[in-house]
Amino acid sequence: MSSTDGVIEVAHLSKSFGAVRAVDDLTFQVQPGRVTGFLGPNGAGKTTTLRMLLGLVTPTSGSATIGGKPYRELDKPTRTVGAALEAASFHPGRTALDHLRVYAPQAGVPDSRASEVLDLVGLSFAADRRVGGFSLGMRQRLGLATTLLADPPVLLLDEPANGLDPEGIRWLRVFLRSLAAQGRTVLVSSHVLSEVEQTVDDVIIIARGRLVHSSTLDALARLALPRVRVASPHADGLAALVAQAGWETAPAEAPTPGRVELLGVDAATVGAAAFAARLELSELTPHDPGLESIFLDLTSPAQDATNGVAR
Ligand SMILES: Nc1ncnc2c1ncn2[C@@H]1O[C@H](COP(=O)(O)OP(=O)(O)O)[C@@H](O)[C@H]1O
Ligand SMILES: [Mg+2]
């Protein structure tokens, strides 16, 4: 194995459908041994990006490679990459086992592998049921089973949590974590951060085809730390209080004297310290943005304006 095995690399990738710029100069990397969330609202360009990674859509420009090669140049593509794209269609008259047996030769594995992967995704109980009667959650599991047929080191899963109930989401979390723990590259898209926030190590967030954030989940979570907005008519006194207490301040877009946002401290502590210092406050507001609201901020159209990005 070389060090680039299993690494997904997208560089300056763009795709236009007529006037629609579905993917716009997108650059990111995905590492093996980790679960990476590929996040963005509906229409952000997630599926189009995954389709380009799989050679199903030709990029307008830029490149998308897996282990250093475009999908079409991989020696054994089905043994290298397992993909479940959204709206996977299953022949409704086939049973789950039949479906997997149809795909087994394509994946280069014996028929017996079909029941193994059904077992892996907890669908053995429905092996002989027709797929037409499956719930969305069962279809998701069957899609996942199909991607695992050839035991590939790289998994691309498009909205795998869609349609799962809370129990299914918990199961998916444990399952994806175990796949990454085996050293696999696991890229999983979602339009809801909260759906995957307990599953992913890294996040790549896109909106309107563009990258808006890429980091570890921990680094993203720091943006969402609880904070306290504090204001005082005595700007110098406030600055002195903050410095003396050693509180961390959140970076402000437009710093204003007499106004700060403090991280990692609660309102009661700030109020008590201000009282002890005989400092008058005009505002003391606790604020817990939460990850989902950070996600909405990052992906909202207004964000383009603050980034100075022409639309
Ligand atoms: N085959 C296509 N023809 C025309 N427009 C498309 C096609 N596929 C996707 N799009 C458009 O590209 C944009 C991104 O779509 P998509 O990649 O499906 O986003 P996501 O998966 O993030 O919801 C949307 O505006 C969508 O309508
Ligand atoms: Mg999609």
Side-chain angles (χ1 to χ4, degrees), residues 15-18 20-23 38-51 57 86 158-159 189-191 206 208-209:
K15 177 67 189 183
S16 297
F17 295 106
V20 177
R21 198 139 179 92
V23 174
F38 187 36
L39 307 167
N42 288 323
K46 303 179 297 295
T47 300
T48 304
T49 302
L50 295 175
R51 292 176 68 85
V57 166
E86 65 181 348
D158 201 9
E159 308 260 2
S189 82
S190 177
H191 63 286
I206 66 171
R208 294 166 301 283

Side-chain angles (χ1 to χ4, degrees), residues 101-238:
R101 285 186 179 140
V102 167
Y103 281 86
Q106 222 171 296
V109 296
D111 268 14
S112 57
R113 177 73 180 153
S115 48
E116 276 176 34
V117 292
L118 270 186
D119 210 26
L120 277 178
V121 302
L123 211 54
S124 296
F125 73 94
D128 300 318
R129 288 206 216 153
R130 289 180 203 282
V131 175
F134 276 21
S135 69
L136 188 50
M138 290 165 80
R139 284 165 196 265
Q140 289 283 27
R141 289 189 193 222
L142 183 57
L144 205 50
T146 314
T147 69
L148 293 170
L149 275 171
D151 201 20
V154 177
L155 291 163
L156 305 181
L157 308 174
D158 201 9
E159 308 260 2
N162 231 358
L164 295 187
D165 53 22
E167 163 57 26
I169 289 185
R170 200 172 325 129
W171 168 81
L172 184 68
R173 176 185 313 148
V174 173
F175 192 63
L176 296 184
R177 295 232 54 88
S178 73
L179 292 170
Q182 294 161 358
R184 291 175 219 263
T185 309
V186 183
L187 182 62
V188 32
S189 82
S190 177
H191 63 286
V192 195
L193 174 60
S194 57
E195 218 170 52
V196 298
E197 72 175 79
Q198 287 171 285
T199 309
V200 302
D201 302 296
D202 297 321
V203 288
I204 294 162
I205 305 179
I206 66 171
R208 294 166 301 283
R210 294 183 145 256
L211 186 74
V212 294
H213 183 91
S214 163
S215 74
T216 62
L217 181 72
D218 288 347
L220 180 70
R222 276 193 59 75
L223 295 176
L225 281 181
R227 49 196 66 201
V228 184
R229 266 199 302 270
V230 187
S232 168
H234 308 290
D236 292 347
L238 180 59

